[in-house]
Amino acid sequence: VLEGSIRIFLQDPKEEVFLKPGETYSVPPRRSHLVTNGGNTSATFLVLQGIGDYDFVPLVAGRDD
């Protein structure tokens, strides 16, 4: 985390991680997770992803207008 704070919600098992500037966390391969802003201001963080597939799963289905 570079600025602000973030929250990471992990599954299997359920876990919540709160990170502040200067802190890091490595999500284990194939572990489902969601990253959200953990504060009241903007957050800036750096993501490093190794070789593998990126699987974006939307939280809300889009409308077909």
Side-chain angles (χ1 to χ4, degrees), residues 30-45:
R30 303 194 188 287
R31 187 162 181 201
S32 299
H33 61 282
L34 169 71
V35 179
T36 65
N37 189 328
N40 296 325
T41 62
S42 295
T44 304
F45 60 100

Side-chain angles (χ1 to χ4, degrees), residues 18-36:
F18 182 81
L19 300 173
K20 298 177 288 186
E23 295 182 320
T24 64
Y25 184 81
S26 295
V27 177
R30 303 194 188 287
R31 187 162 181 201
S32 299
H33 61 282
L34 169 71
V35 179
T36 65

Side-chain angles (χ1 to χ4, degrees), residues 43-61:
T44 304
F45 60 100
L46 178 66
V47 175
L48 300 176
Q49 180 173 335
I51 297 172
D53 295 325
Y54 175 75
D55 56 343
F56 174 76
V57 179
L59 297 176
V60 179

